[in-house]
């Protein structure tokens, strides 16, 4: 649309989404010389406008400074604001987080395309500039890479243009409005527009100029658009390059283009040229044998496109990365370069806890390295096109991309979880066709040359309908080299052809198998799965196990990569990571913004341990003799890796070595290891094997572990006598009082209370270890997933049962070498439930603790079967021989490994946004709790390993805090020894149960046993 005067009514007009905006084009760079192009540095023909602008904020349009754009308007007294950046993160307006509901739900009674009139914040920006030297006679344009959600532009008092779509560029021609000397640029940004109805993504609702802004000029003959396509022959060895160019400028007539393709080492592979005809060039060249691009081996060629004017002078050079690859459907299965692909993916929001979606290059570099280091091979740009640099990094580092257009209308069709599309948009409404299609075109035209992008996505959670179907048809016609994704057809099967694949969110493994066993016509991916909210990712193995079982199961994308939480100060001035509602925002969806496998401050969560292991392309299966290596890579062998192996006896290394092993892609081999297992002394052993990088790569340092496998076995020797240190053995002395029973064995002094029915004191070498006596525990601080499945309602009786167990009986037995006392407890949950805790003080000073639970029918499952006590906070160090090194649970222990690991007690509490159960270890053989002088005590599993949680807080303190700053000052170290704790789940966070094998039925008998001894 063209116009010379701005109209505020465009904000609410669904037919107006751009005015005077340039057509979308590819995101290539261009230079004046070959040297500049080869260096690919900063462009001399681009002038950065990022930085400090003058700024004024208004809560609604009628209170804005309407004529601020005029040349004689003075911005003196206005504030400063940083660009790029969000208005709301720089001290203005309301920070708000909502998920599916629209941000005005319950505040404004409106339906699309109407807008709230009382609250539509306006940001008025002013920036002055002088043209760079030499630009005076050239055309000059401005590019806004991202503005949320609608904006008007003026230069020197004259209207330039209008744009919507927060996540693709809007470019305008400034040439007619320039003046000598200082130029005044004015931008008016509105938070609400018709585009807001299409941007109901699960994120913080911001506004402002949050991506780069720059001026640019072009040479007299300029490549405005580049379209590079590659194809491979049936053998996937020989490549063809298709190059289509659109040129503009006064010197285009009579010009010619020369294209030089260079390999990664800079060697020329082929040079070809063409005259420019009517401003266009179309070339197709056979390149011959080529190196293929894939996430495993992201081989990039460099294409240098040189433009010569009619006189033969070089006027422009465009460097363009080229990756030769094909992505296609073969027999209902997606293939990359002829091989079946499995997406080991993650959904990624652009996010920084201080800058919101105005992420930096440093953020992106950290992200791409972290994703690669943890064996992920794919990213979905949820749910909007990202900054161009992100795609360049995915090309270079090697990640497959689902590029998703900026569309989500979740609140228009799903309410309180129910599908109710009575006023769904865009649906079949023709008036919404153009505004939606424009977003698709803008994405494709900008991003089309990136080999990392395999799939175009029609957006997210916008139901179905004819409009989105037409978008998919556009994708397929504009770019037949890629496939099309859209999950919404699951809710509206009228246009099933919209998506080339069956793609669902949070389907249970059984549901996926049901689909795959029903002779489907499309392959399956989980575009969102494993909702990683808080302590989650339990049961992920059930999904990854489908990869080898069903060829048409082609992986999934974890939700999601990074917590969307924002730094805020509490009332005492201390920073914390805040979530929805913490800023007084209503409506809000509160902590639902915290679903990352990475914390918002870019620290990897403990959940990543499981992700990295289950996403391994290379699997290692060690045993007593050696290791089987199964290379599941499609293209890469293991020549860049070395095999590191070790043998540990009860956590201590007894042997280590490295081997050179090269296993071809899609093959396996068995490597013998010099373990000599038959001659080993008795004990528990772990064979550890890992493949690590021989040399540093773009994404990791030398020695980075790529794959790991462990085998645990016990070496027993017949008639091996148990050695006893006679220096520790002494008579067991018992002093029975009226209320208490004291037991001494050497330097151990235990005191049992008849009144309270428990161990009330345990002094080891004169040091008290019991601050609050042990008590049976059947409750854990609810995780986010627990809350989503209403554990508080369904299992809450165990909370009360844990608060007040009643000791109803005690009995004791004394022998020369031990004293045994048994306490029986009743619980308020049922008269038929009985718990017995038996303490046995041995002559060597150790105390054996046996916990037995006897249940009954009709009760809810147990969250945990444990015994918990509190000791001195001076015992602030913990070391254990257990599964680790990170926290793990029954359904999230595949990535854990047996070994000796240590931590500060304070650091065992994971910094999830809402305090909850965290820090657990499974497979605990022993644990040591010590003060900073090394004094303390040891807990040893007796027979079967136990689970252990050592924390500064009780389950009840964690349960009753909504933020970490609400937790009390640390007064204790809390020790919770469990026979079993239920899994954490993760299929979703709004009702999906933990899988049955990881639950604890309450109707049976449960026991566990451990020993406490002095160090």
């Amino acid at each position: 649309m063209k116009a010379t005067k701005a109209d505020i009514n465009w904000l609410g007009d669904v037919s107006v989404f751009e005015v005077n905006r340039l057509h979308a084009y590819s995101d290539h760079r261009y230079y004046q010389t070959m040297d500049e192009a080869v260096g690919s540095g900063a462009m001399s023909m681009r002038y950065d406008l990022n930085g400090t602008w003058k700024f004024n904020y208004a809560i609604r349009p009628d209170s804005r400074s309407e004529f601020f754009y005029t040349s004689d308007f003075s911005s003196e007294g206005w504030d400063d604001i940083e660009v790029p950046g969000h208005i709301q993160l720089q001290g203005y307006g309301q920070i708000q987080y909502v998920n599916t509901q629209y941000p005005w739900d319950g505040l404004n009674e409106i339906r699309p395309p109407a807008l709230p009139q009382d609250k539509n914040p306006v940001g008025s920006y002013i920036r002055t500039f002088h043209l760079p030297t030499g630009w005076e006679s050239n055309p000059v344009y401005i590019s806004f890479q991202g503005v949320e959600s609608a904006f008007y532009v003026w230069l020197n008092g004259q209207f330039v243009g209008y744009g919507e779509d927060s996540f693709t560029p809007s470019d305008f021609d400034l040439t007619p409005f320039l003046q000598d000397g200082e130029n005044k640029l004015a931008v008016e940004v509105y938070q609400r527009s018709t585009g807001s109805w299409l941007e109901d993504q699960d994120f913080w609702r911001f506004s402002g100029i949050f991506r780069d802004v720059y001026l640019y000029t072009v040479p007299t003959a300029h490549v405005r658009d580049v379209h590079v396509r590659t194809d491979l022959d049936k053998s996937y060895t020989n490549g063809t390059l298709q190059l289509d160019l659109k040129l503009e400028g006064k010197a285009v007539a009579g010009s010619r283009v020369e294209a030089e393709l260079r390999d990664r080492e800079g060697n020329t592979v082929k040079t070809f040229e063409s005259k420019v005809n009517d401003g266009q060039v179309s070339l197709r060249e056979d390149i011959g044998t080529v190196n293929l691009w894939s996430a495993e081996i992201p081989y990039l060629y460099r294409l240098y496109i040189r433009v010569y004017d009619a006189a033969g002078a070089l006027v422009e050079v465009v460097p363009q990365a080229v990756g030769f690859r094909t992505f296609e459907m073969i027999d209902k299965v997606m293939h990359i370069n002829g091989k079946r692909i499995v997406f080991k993916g993650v959904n990624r929001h652009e996010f920084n806890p201080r800058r919101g979606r105005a992420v930096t290059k440093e953020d992106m570099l950290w992200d791409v390295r972290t994703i690669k280091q943890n064996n992920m091979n794919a990213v979905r740009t949820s749910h909007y096109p990202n900054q161009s640099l992100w795609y360049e990094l995915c090309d270079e580092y090697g990640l497959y991309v689902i590029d998703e257009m900026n569309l989500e209308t979740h609140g228009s069709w799903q309410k309180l979880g129910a599908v109710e599309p009575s006023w769904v948009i865009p649906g079949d409404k023709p008036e919404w066709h153009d505004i939606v299609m424009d977003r698709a075109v803008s994405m494709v035209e900008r991003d089309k040359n990136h080999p990392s992008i395999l799939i175009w996505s029609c957006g997210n959670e916008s139901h179905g309908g004819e409009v989105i179907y037409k978008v998919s048809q556009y994708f397929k016609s504009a770019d037949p080299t890629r496939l099309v994704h859209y999950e919404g057809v699951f809710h509206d099967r009228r246009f099933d052809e919209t998506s080339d694949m069956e793609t669902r969110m949070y389907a249970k493994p059984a549901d996926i198998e049901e689909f795959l066993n029903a002779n489907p016509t499309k392959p399956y991916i989980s575009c969102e799965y494993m909702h990683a909210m808080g302590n989650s990712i339990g049961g992920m193995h059930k999904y990854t196990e489908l990869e080898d079982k069903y060829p048409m199961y082609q992986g999934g994308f974890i939700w999601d990569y990074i917590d969307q939480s924002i730094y805020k100060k509490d009332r005492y001035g201390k920073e914390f990571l805040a979530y929805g509602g913490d800023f007084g925002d209503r409506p809000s969806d509160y902590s639902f913004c915290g679903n990352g496998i990475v914390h918002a401050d870019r620290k990897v969560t403990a959940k990543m341990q499981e992700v990295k292991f289950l996403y391994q392309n290379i699997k290692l299966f060690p045993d007593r003799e050696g290791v089987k290596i199964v290379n599941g890579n499609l293209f890469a062998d293991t020549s860049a890796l070395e095999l590191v192996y070790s043998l540990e006896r009860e956590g201590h290394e007894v042997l280590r070595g490295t081997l050179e092993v090269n296993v071809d892609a899609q093959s396996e081999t068995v490597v013998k290891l010099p373990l000599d297992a038959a001659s080993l002394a008795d004990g528990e052993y772990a064979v550890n094997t890992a493949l690590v990088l021989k040399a540093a790569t773009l994404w990791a340092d030398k020695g980075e572990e790529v794959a790991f496998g462990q085998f645990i076995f016990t070496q027993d020797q017949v008639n091996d006598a148990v050695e006893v240190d006679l220096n520790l053995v002494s008579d067991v002395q018992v002093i029975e009082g009226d209320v208490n029973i004291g037991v001494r064995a050497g330097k151990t002094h235990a005191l049992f209370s008849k009144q309270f029915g428990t161990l009330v004191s345990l002094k080891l070498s004169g040091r008290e270890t019991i601050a609050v006596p042990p008590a049976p525990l059947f409750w854990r601080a609810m995780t986010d997933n627990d809350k989503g499945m209403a554990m508080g309602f369904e299992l809450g009786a165990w909370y009360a049962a844990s608060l007040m167990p009643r000791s109803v009986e005690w009995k004791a037995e004394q022998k020369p070498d031990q004293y045994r006392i048994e306490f029986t407890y009743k619980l308020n949950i049922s008269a038929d439930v009985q718990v017995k805790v038996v303490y046995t003080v041995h002559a060597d000073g150790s105390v054996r603790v046996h916990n037995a639970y006897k249940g009954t029918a009709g009760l809810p499952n147990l969250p945990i079967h444990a015994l918990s006590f509190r000791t001195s906070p001076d015992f602030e160090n913990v070391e254990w021989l257990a599964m680790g090194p990170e926290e793990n649970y029954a359904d999230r222990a595949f990535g854990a490994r047996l070994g000796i690991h240590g931590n500060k007690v304070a650091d065992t509490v994971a910094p999830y946004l809402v305090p909850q159960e965290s820090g657990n270890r499974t497979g605990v053989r022993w644990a040591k709790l010590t003060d900073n002088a090394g004094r303390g005590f040891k807990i040893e599993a007796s027979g079967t390993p136990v689970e252990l949680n050592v924390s500064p807080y009780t389950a009840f303190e964690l349960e009753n805090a909504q933020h970490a700053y609400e937790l009390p000052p640390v007064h204790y170290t809390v020790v919770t020894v469990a026979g079993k704790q239920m899994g954490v789940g993760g299929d979703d966070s709004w009702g999906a149960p933990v899988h049955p094998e990881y639950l604890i039925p309450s109707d049976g008998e449960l026991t566990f046993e451990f020993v406490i001894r002095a160090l």
Side-chain angles (χ1 to χ4, degrees):
M1 177 176 166
K2 301 296 181 183
T4 58
K5 185 178 179 181
D7 186 344
I8 196 172
N9 292 313
W10 293 338
L11 292 169
D13 187 343
V14 72
S15 68
V16 181
F17 43 86
E18 62 86 12
V19 178
N20 301 337
R21 194 189 70 197
L22 300 184
H23 293 297
Y25 57 92
S26 56
D27 60 357
H28 61 279
R29 296 184 181 91
Y30 54 94
Y31 301 88
Q32 293 175 302
T33 68
M34 267 297 291
D35 286 344
E36 288 180 303
V38 171
S40 291
M43 290 171 50
S44 62
M45 289 180 280
R46 181 179 292 181
Y47 181 74
D48 188 4
L49 292 180
N50 292 345
T52 303
W53 294 45
K54 302 305 290 185
F55 181 75
N56 182 259
Y57 177 81
I59 194 171
R60 59 181 184 271
D62 62 8
S63 62
R64 78 195 191 281
S65 297
E66 186 173 354
F67 300 104
F68 78 107
Y69 57 84
T70 59
S71 296
D72 57 357
F73 181 92
S74 173
S75 60
E76 185 177 352
W78 278 26
D79 296 335
D80 291 338
I81 197 168
E82 289 302 307
V83 172
H86 298 295
I87 291 171
Q88 291 75 16
L89 293 182
Q90 300 189 64
Y92 306 94
Q94 176 65 63
I95 300 174
Q96 184 184 17
Y97 165 70
V98 285
N99 174 15
T100 65
Q101 60 186 314
Y102 282 100
W104 48 78
D105 187 75
L107 304 177
N108 300 94
E109 194 171 351
I110 55 175
R111 288 289 182 261
L115 305 175
Q117 297 302 310
D118 58 335
K119 283 192 177 181
N120 187 2
V122 185
S124 301
Y125 295 76
I126 292 176
R127 166 71 191 259
T128 58
F129 64 87
H130 290 75
L131 280 181
T133 302
W135 285 30
E136 293 80 6
S137 60
N138 292 357
V140 176
Y141 307 91
I142 190 168
S143 181
F144 294 87
Q145 291 292 296
V147 182
E148 189 173 3
S149 74
F151 67 108
Y152 298 79
V153 183
W154 293 266
L155 185 65
N156 298 321
Q158 299 182 73
F159 176 66
V160 173
Y162 170 81
E164 295 182 19
D165 188 355
S166 301
F167 296 97
T168 54
S170 291
D171 286 25
F172 303 97
D173 186 357
L174 297 184
T175 310
F177 313 111
L178 291 166
Q179 63 187 27
D180 293 338
E182 186 176 80
N183 289 269
K184 177 182 177 179
L185 177 66
V187 182
E188 191 172 70
V189 179
Y190 289 79
Q191 186 168 16
R192 312 293 187 212
S193 67
T194 47
S196 302
W197 288 101
L198 303 177
E199 297 177 5
D200 190 33
Q201 286 97 332
D202 176 8
F203 59 16
W204 293 89
R205 307 310 168 101
F206 298 129
S207 64
I209 306 172
F210 70 99
R211 288 184 181 168
D212 291 342
V213 184
Y214 53 84
L215 304 175
Y216 63 97
T217 188
V218 296
T220 53
H222 169 59
V223 177
R224 172 58 75 170
D225 186 70
V226 178
H227 192 181
V228 174
R229 283 169 288 179
T230 62
D231 196 10
L232 301 174
D233 64 7
K234 291 183 178 179
S235 68
Y236 302 100
T237 55
N238 297 301
T240 302
L241 180 68
Q242 174 73 39
L243 176 63
D244 295 293
L245 307 175
K246 295 178 182 177
L247 290 88
E248 60 183 35
K250 58 187 179 184
V252 166
S255 62
R256 67 181 178 89
V257 168
E258 182 180 73
E260 178 189 0
L261 186 69
R262 295 184 181 180
D263 64 18
R264 190 159 57 187
E265 288 71 38
N267 303 309
T268 299
V269 176
K270 193 164 190 176
T271 302
F272 44 97
E273 64 178 78
S274 172
K275 292 182 178 179
V276 178
N277 297 309
D278 195 23
Q280 297 190 16
V281 168
S282 184
L283 290 169
R284 185 174 179 85
E285 290 291 325
D286 292 327
I287 306 302
T289 302
V290 292
N291 294 294
L292 304 185
W293 185 95
S294 67
E296 297 169 18
I297 308 174
Y299 192 100
L300 290 175
Y301 291 83
R302 205 76 171 166
L303 182 68
Y304 293 96
I305 303 164
R306 296 186 283 264
V307 181
Y308 298 88
D309 63 15
L314 178 66
V315 293
E316 183 178 63
V317 183
V318 175
Q320 177 63 52
V322 176
F324 284 90
R325 61 119 183 95
T326 61
F327 186 65
E328 59 193 328
M329 195 79 76
I330 301 175
D331 296 330
K332 302 188 291 185
V333 174
M334 292 178 282
H335 286 69
I336 178 81
N337 301 335
K339 304 289 186 181
R340 170 185 171 253
I341 192 171
V342 174
F343 293 109
K344 301 182 177 189
V346 68
N347 287 272
R348 176 182 172 271
H349 270 293
E350 293 181 312
F351 202 78
N352 176 294
R354 299 192 189 277
R355 300 178 54 84
R357 289 186 286 279
V359 295
T360 65
K361 178 180 180 180
E362 290 71 28
D363 291 333
M364 288 185 267
L365 285 168
W366 193 92
D367 290 350
V368 75
R369 286 173 59 88
T370 299
I371 289 169
K372 288 287 291 185
Q373 287 169 11
N374 288 285
N375 289 325
M376 288 167 267
N377 68 3
V379 173
R380 176 174 173 235
T381 65
S382 53
H383 303 289
Y384 42 82
N386 288 185
Q387 292 186 38
S388 285
L389 177 58
W390 179 248
Y391 303 96
E392 294 177 25
L393 294 175
C394 292
D395 295 340
E396 185 180 6
Y397 283 70
L399 287 174
Y400 302 123
V401 176
I402 295 182
D403 200 9
E404 192 148 83
M405 67 181 281
N406 179 23
L407 175 67
E408 180 166 342
T409 64
H410 206 151
S412 76
W413 63 273
Q414 192 168 42
K415 293 92 177 181
L416 297 174
V419 176
E420 195 284 290
S422 60
W423 54 275
V424 62
I425 54 172
D428 300 332
K429 299 177 175 64
E431 64 270 25
W432 288 89
H433 173 273
D434 290 352
I435 189 174
V436 171
M437 185 63 75
D438 178 71
R439 292 165 179 246
V441 172
S442 294
M443 176 179 73
V444 167
E445 291 301 327
R446 188 195 69 168
D447 297 342
K448 57 183 176 278
N449 294 320
H450 292 283
S452 57
I453 299 171
L454 302 186
I455 296 172
W456 301 117
S457 175
C458 299
N460 185 64
E461 293 178 318
S462 298
H463 203 255
E466 187 173 10
V467 172
I468 295 175
Y469 169 72
K470 288 182 176 179
V471 167
S472 74
Q473 298 310 295
Y474 158 74
F475 286 148
K476 293 175 183 181
S477 62
D479 184 10
T481 69
R482 294 178 170 101
L483 299 178
V484 177
H485 163 277
Y486 185 61
E487 176 267 344
V489 298
F490 177 74
H491 300 287
D492 183 359
R493 292 293 187 182
R494 294 176 302 145
F495 298 95
D496 203 55
E497 292 181 6
T498 300
S499 184
D500 290 321
M501 60 222 63
E502 179 74 8
T503 169
R504 299 183 190 176
M505 295 181 178
Y506 309 108
K508 311 298 186 292
D511 297 330
I512 298 172
E513 291 203 74
E514 181 181 6
F515 170 83
L516 293 168
N517 286 321
N519 192 27
T521 59
K522 299 178 182 180
Y524 183 98
I525 64 169
S526 294
C527 63
E528 293 179 21
Y529 84 116
M530 279 287 102
H531 198 262
M533 186 176 181
N535 193 348
S536 188
I537 302 285
M540 179 178 168
H541 69 98
K542 288 183 169 289
Y543 294 88
T544 57
E545 286 165 2
L546 300 176
E547 296 167 5
D548 294 328
K549 188 175 181 181
Y550 298 97
M552 291 180 71
Y553 179 80
Q554 299 200 254
F557 295 77
I558 293 167
W559 186 265
D560 62 350
Y561 172 68
I562 190 167
D563 280 351
Q564 296 180 76
S565 53
I566 298 171
Y567 279 114
K568 186 178 187 287
K569 290 184 178 179
D570 64 20
R571 64 179 300 179
Y572 302 106
K574 185 177 180 181
E575 274 195 332
F576 71 99
L577 284 166
Y579 51 79
D582 285 342
F583 297 92
D585 46 318
R586 304 292 189 277
S588 179
D589 283 302
Y590 304 98
S591 62
F592 212 76
C593 58
N595 315 134
I597 52 176
V598 168
H599 296 296
D601 58 1
R602 282 185 164 75
K603 295 177 181 175
V604 171
T605 74
K607 294 170 282 190
M608 193 72 87
Q609 177 173 263
E610 193 81 346
V611 173
K612 180 171 185 174
F613 182 82
L614 292 176
Y615 270 175
Q616 291 179 156
N617 273 351
I618 306 172
K619 306 288 196 299
L620 301 178
F621 302 98
D623 58 23
R624 293 172 184 253
E625 305 298 326
V627 57
K628 181 168 77 170
I629 304 173
V630 180
N631 185 358
N633 283 330
L634 303 181
F635 310 104
D637 61 22
T638 63
S639 59
L641 309 172
E642 67 178 357
L643 178 65
V644 178
Y645 62 90
S646 67
L647 181 68
E648 293 180 354
R649 178 180 181 272
E650 295 175 0
H652 299 284
E653 187 172 286
V654 296
L655 181 149
R656 170 174 285 268
T658 60
L659 289 172
E660 294 286 325
V661 180
N662 191 7
V663 184
D664 290 336
Q666 297 285 284
S667 66
E668 62 183 64
T669 191
V670 174
V671 177
K672 295 293 185 181
L673 299 177
L675 302 179
D676 195 17
S679 64
L680 296 174
D682 64 323
E684 184 179 50
Y685 289 85
V687 180
N688 300 312
T689 54
L691 288 168
V692 304
L693 290 174
K694 290 180 180 177
T697 67
L698 271 177
W699 51 270
D701 296 332
K702 177 183 178 180
E704 175 73 21
E705 184 179 284
V706 173
F708 178 83
Q710 184 179 68
F711 175 70
I712 300 168
F713 66 94
T714 301
Q715 185 83 347
D716 292 322
Q717 294 187 4
V718 181
N719 297 325
D720 189 17
V722 177
E723 292 186 10
V724 177
D725 187 348
L726 297 178
N727 293 318
L728 297 179
V729 175
S730 60
D731 293 336
V732 177
Q733 301 174 4
V734 179
I735 303 172
E736 182 168 348
D738 296 329
V739 179
N740 302 298
I741 302 171
V743 182
R744 294 181 183 271
K747 294 183 180 181
T748 296
H749 182 195
L751 188 68
F752 300 95
S753 172
K754 304 175 188 178
Q755 179 182 6
F756 297 112
T758 187
L759 172 68
V760 294
S761 173
L762 180 61
K763 292 183 177 179
L764 303 174
S765 300
R767 190 87 183 271
E768 181 62 74
T769 62
I770 303 294
V772 176
L777 180 70
F778 306 98
W779 188 255
R780 72 177 183 198
M782 285 191 292
T783 66
D784 289 309
N785 290 344
D786 291 340
K787 293 173 184 175
M789 59 166 281
M791 187 175 103
F793 181 84
E794 300 291 344
L795 280 63
W798 291 112
Y799 182 99
S802 299
L803 286 173
M804 295 293 174
R806 175 182 290 179
S807 175
V808 296
E809 182 184 12
W810 69 272
K811 56 184 178 181
E813 178 184 12
Q814 183 173 0
K815 294 181 179 180
D817 61 347
Q818 67 178 44
Y819 178 82
R820 180 183 185 275
I821 186 168
E822 174 185 294
F823 296 101
T824 301
Y825 299 90
K826 288 291 187 180
L827 307 179
N828 57 18
I829 194 171
S830 169
D832 297 325
V833 172
Q834 187 180 85
V835 178
K836 292 181 182 291
V837 180
V838 180
Y839 299 91
T840 305
V841 182
H842 292 275
D844 63 357
S846 65
V847 179
R848 185 177 302 273
V849 184
H850 180 87
N851 186 307
Y853 164 91
K854 184 177 182 181
T856 188
L859 298 180
N861 289 327
L862 288 161
I864 189 171
H865 174 221
L867 191 73
S868 186
F869 65 94
R870 285 176 255 181
T871 188
S872 168
D874 291 343
F875 297 122
E876 59 181 279
N877 307 294
V878 60
E879 182 183 60
W880 50 81
L881 175 57
M883 302 302 290
E886 305 296 337
E887 67 177 24
N888 50 90
Y889 293 82
D891 58 353
R892 202 182 83 207
F894 286 81
R897 59 193 69 179
L898 181 64
I900 297 176
H901 314 289
N903 214 338
K904 286 287 186 181
V905 172
D907 295 334
T908 63
V909 181
Y912 300 125
L913 291 186
V914 178
Q916 56 194 278
E917 160 62 37
S918 67
N920 189 68
R921 300 299 190 277
T922 64
V924 178
R925 276 63 171 171
W926 55 256
K928 297 176 183 178
L929 279 82
T930 59
D931 61 17
N932 289 329
R935 298 169 300 183
F937 61 97
K938 184 178 183 181
I939 294 173
E940 298 174 350
S942 180
T944 303
V946 295
E947 299 190 27
L948 179 67
N949 191 320
V950 182
S951 169
Y953 309 110
T954 68
F956 307 104
E957 289 169 336
L958 292 165
E959 184 72 68
N960 288 289
Q962 295 303 306
H963 302 85
Y965 65 74
E966 299 173 33
L967 291 166
V970 174
H971 299 293
Y972 305 102
T973 290
V974 182
V975 181
T976 301
V977 186
K980 191 173 184 182
Q981 182 179 169
M982 67 182 282
V984 293
D987 290 358
D988 65 46
S989 300
W990 49 90
V994 170
H995 287 277
E997 60 267 44
Y998 301 118
L999 295 174
I1000 311 174
S1002 59
D1003 57 354
E1005 295 185 6
L1006 302 168
T1007 63
F1008 65 92
E1009 192 170 89
F1010 62 96
V1011 175
I1012 304 175
R1013 68 173 74 247
L1015 286 175

